[in-house]
């Protein structure tokens, strides 16, 4: 993709998105294109540890990376048949609308404006978080109110950018935004002291502290979450079959956790007489063919990628470098927001 999108305003992005939606998505043949190509093109964050980041060998890992892999597993029976396309905040929407990627799993907050004006369809959120702030230890800043008059590093074209303006305005506070699109340059500006605080989705900030600073103890997460940020996969409008596939892949990971089906026991669970387990694993019904997939599509997702708990723990669990309590990202039966629709 060219760099032309970097200079477009939000309104211009809406215009580009609308034209692209009309030209690209109305054909309703995303699945056929993906199969013909032999891989899923998945738009991801360039470097957000825990969600999506490549290692020194170019191998991608993260919760959102795993959802890209899950979609590939459902379609091909092979989670490796996916190509990751790193996209900046400004690039992500034109990329999905133009067809440069098939699905956007890139820390995208589902909002009414994006759902309508940008012509997107959102799958169920795979992570619930909110705006947070990282500050230098010893700065004397202990709450968001202490940031009055501060310089704030923030990415352009994000809900966070708008949230910060609302947070400060509602408190009668002033701030100076330092707006930088490149994620590494944005983080470096904060780490080197150009900004008093770095703001992102709060779930992303522990990764910054762990990976991007020389001494994590010199940086502090301020208490509180200051917005609602349901991070969800997004597809172009106009292709209901593709939307259904992405949506039900997410639900399958939720349902698998709720039903106790894991990557380790899925083969054994195929002999279960629980109708919900049978429907999930494809031993009864024709639910796969209704999506244009094989009947064991969810079995492939679970055995190759895992249920939601396995995915979450791999990247944010107690043995991961970026440890985060699941908080709202737990099953509805445990007081969380994860609720898989029934496969029946």
């Amino acid at each position: 993709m060219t760099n032309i999108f970097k200079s477009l305003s939000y309104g211009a992005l809406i215009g580009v998105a609308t034209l692209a939606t009309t030209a690209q998505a109305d054909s309703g043949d995303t699945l056929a294109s993906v199969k013909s190509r032999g891989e899923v093109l998945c738009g991801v964050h360039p470097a957000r540890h825990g969600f999506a980041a490549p290692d020194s060998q170019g191998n991608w890992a993260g919760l959102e990376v795993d959802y890209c892999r899950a979609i590939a597993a459902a379609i091909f029976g092979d989670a490796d048949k996916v190509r990751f396309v790193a996209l900046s905040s400004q690039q992500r929407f034109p990329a999905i609308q133009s067809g440069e990627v098939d699905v956007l799993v890139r820390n995208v907050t589902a909002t009414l404006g994006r759902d309508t004006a940008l012509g997107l369809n959102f799958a169920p959120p795979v992570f619930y978080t909110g705006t947070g702030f990282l500050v230098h230890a010893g700065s004397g800043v202990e709450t968001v109110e202490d940031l009055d008059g501060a310089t704030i590093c923030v990415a352009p074209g994000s809900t966070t950018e708008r949230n910060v303006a609302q947070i400060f305005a509602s408190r009668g506070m002033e701030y100076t935004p330092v707006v930088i699109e490149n994620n590494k340059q944005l983080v470096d500006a904060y780490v080197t002291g150009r900004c008093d605080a770095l703001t992102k989705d709060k779930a992303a900030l522990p990764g910054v502290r762990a990976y991007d600073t020389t001494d994590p103890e010199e940086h502090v997460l301020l208490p509180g979450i200051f917005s609602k940020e349901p991070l969800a996969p997004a597809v172009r409008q106009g292709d209901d079959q593709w939307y259904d596939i992405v949506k039900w892949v997410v639900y399958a990971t939720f349902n698998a956790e709720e039903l106790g089906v894991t990557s380790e026991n899925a083969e054994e669970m195929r002999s279960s007489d629980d109708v919900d387990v049978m429907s999930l694993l494809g031993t009864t019904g024709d639910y796969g063919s209704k999506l244009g997939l094989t009947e064991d599509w969810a079995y492939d997702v679970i055995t190759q990628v895992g249920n939601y708990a396995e995915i979450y723990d791999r990247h944010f669990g107690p043995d991961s470098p970026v440890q985060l309590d699941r908080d709202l990202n737990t099953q509805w039966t445990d007081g969380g927001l994860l609720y898989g629709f029934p496969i029946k």
Side-chain angles (χ1 to χ4, degrees), residues 14 34 36 68 112 122 157 186 216 218 234 249 258 308 322 326 338:
I14 291 175
V34 168
S36 176
C68 297
L112 184 148
F122 287 99
L186 176 69
E218 290 298 315
V249 165
E258 181 181 350
Y308 185 85
V322 184
R326 284 185 64 174
L338 304 186

Side-chain angles (χ1 to χ4, degrees), residues 176-191:
T176 301
V178 177
V179 182
I180 302 173
E181 180 180 2
N182 181 277
N183 185 67
K184 184 180 186 305
Q185 294 174 4
L186 176 69
V187 173
D188 286 348
Y190 161 73
V191 171

